[in-house]
Amino acid sequence: MPRYALKVEYNGAPFAGWQRQADQPSVQGAIEAALARLEPGPHTIAAAGRTDAGVHGLGQVAHCDLTKDWEPFRLSEALNYHLKPQPVAILACARVDDDWHARFSAVERRYLFRLLMRRAPATHDKGLVWHVRNPLDLEAMREGAAHLVGHHDFTTFRSTICQAKSPVKTLDEITIEPATGLSGPEFHFRLRARSFLHNQVRSIVGTLERVGAGAWAPDDVATALTARDRGACGPVCPPHGLYLAAVRYPDDPFE
């Protein structure tokens, strides 16, 4: 059975997350239903990461196995036709080896978090950013973030229901940059690692926002990290500012 890699973009607002749900809409379920319109199912696709409810995808990657030998461009066009009007799009499609796996073949994942700062509520960007009403101290947040880069036990920054076997991860990079968004000034948090724990990014950004607001000192982030205690974490920020931005493989199947 030919295997295909899919690069997927989606707005997570109407979905209960990536993973298929028995009684709620999911991104995986939407794509599998579209595949069933092309070939008899059932279909099961695998993804590089299972994003939570409300989290968006800019460069999620999944793979599927089909019986027909599809030309990749025609497959992506057919899937996009059957995905309408849901906010899910197949950006690219590629034929891959039978042992290629969207999750296990990946060597890096990148996340983007958008934080909007203005007094008025978000309108055009509602559901796409985390809206905070007060300005934040960029340099303080950068100083706090520096404590998290590297190989650490991230127990403090993972969900209590995280199913990962170990809380030890290597966070390769955190950058925080100002940006001018459609609705006003934003901070863009970009995090890069081979893999992440459940709620790790949202826990980190929520904690760094407290630093930017002056409620935490930058060194308090190091104290929270070494505590290895979920109770030492700052607030977990909402999901709607978070985007799975990209997934990297030793050989990019889409190039």
Side-chain angles (χ1 to χ4, degrees):
M1 298 177 70
R3 176 164 292 188
Y4 298 89
L6 308 173
K7 183 180 289 187
V8 188
E9 178 183 271
Y10 52 91
N11 183 320
F15 299 108
W18 168 270
Q19 190 170 2
R20 186 194 315 111
Q21 308 280 327
D23 55 354
Q24 297 183 78
S26 68
V27 184
Q28 179 183 7
I31 298 173
E32 289 174 350
L35 286 167
R37 301 289 297 273
L38 305 180
E39 292 188 1
H43 294 274
T44 299
I45 62 175
R50 296 175 178 178
T51 53
D52 290 335
V55 176
H56 312 293
L58 296 175
Q60 170 74 282
V61 178
H63 76 257
C64 63
D65 295 322
L66 297 174
T67 56
K68 180 180 175 180
D69 190 5
W70 285 83
E71 195 278 321
F73 176 76
R74 288 176 60 86
L75 177 58
S76 64
E77 290 289 283
L79 286 173
N80 284 331
Y81 177 82
H82 290 296
L83 281 164
K84 294 184 295 187
Q86 299 177 95
V88 182
I90 308 303
L91 301 180
C93 177
R95 177 74 183 268
V96 291
D97 293 338
D98 293 347
D99 60 352
W100 189 92
H101 196 284
R103 178 184 174 190
F104 299 119
S105 299
V107 295
E108 181 181 89
R109 291 156 178 86
R110 298 187 180 198
Y111 280 91
L112 162 68
F113 195 96
R114 294 176 58 200
L115 185 152
L116 170 68
M117 294 170 294
R118 74 178 198 181
R119 296 292 296 176
T123 54
H124 295 292
D125 281 322
K126 184 177 181 180
L128 300 174
V129 297
W130 179 23
H131 169 230
V132 299
R133 292 168 57 84
N134 298 307
L136 302 175
D137 185 330
L138 173 60
E139 293 308 318
M141 291 192 294
R142 285 173 169 170
E143 186 179 343
H147 294 296
L148 301 174
V149 177
H151 190 68
H152 302 291
D153 182 327
F154 282 98
T155 295
T156 298
F157 296 94
R158 75 163 175 170
S159 168
T160 55
I161 62 171
C162 180
Q163 297 179 354
K165 293 180 180 179
S166 171
V168 177
K169 294 288 181 181
T170 300
L171 186 56
D172 295 310
E173 182 181 27
I174 305 179
T175 62
I176 311 171
E177 298 293 340
T180 301
L182 178 67
S183 302
E186 297 184 15
F187 282 132
H188 288 182
F189 298 75
R190 299 183 186 274
L191 295 88
R192 179 170 60 85
R194 184 180 183 92
S195 61
F196 290 85
L197 300 164
H198 188 198
N199 278 358
Q200 184 179 358
V201 175
R202 291 168 55 197
S203 298
I204 288 173
V205 174
T207 298
L208 293 177
E209 187 275 338
R210 291 289 79 203
V211 174
W216 284 43
D219 286 347
D220 290 340
V221 178
T223 302
L225 177 66
T226 56
R228 298 174 185 170
D229 177 4
R230 183 64 177 169
C233 185
V236 178
C237 64
H240 42 258
L242 182 58
Y243 299 74
L244 176 53
V247 185
R248 190 170 67 85
Y249 296 89
D251 295 305
D252 188 343
F254 305 107
E255 288 186 353

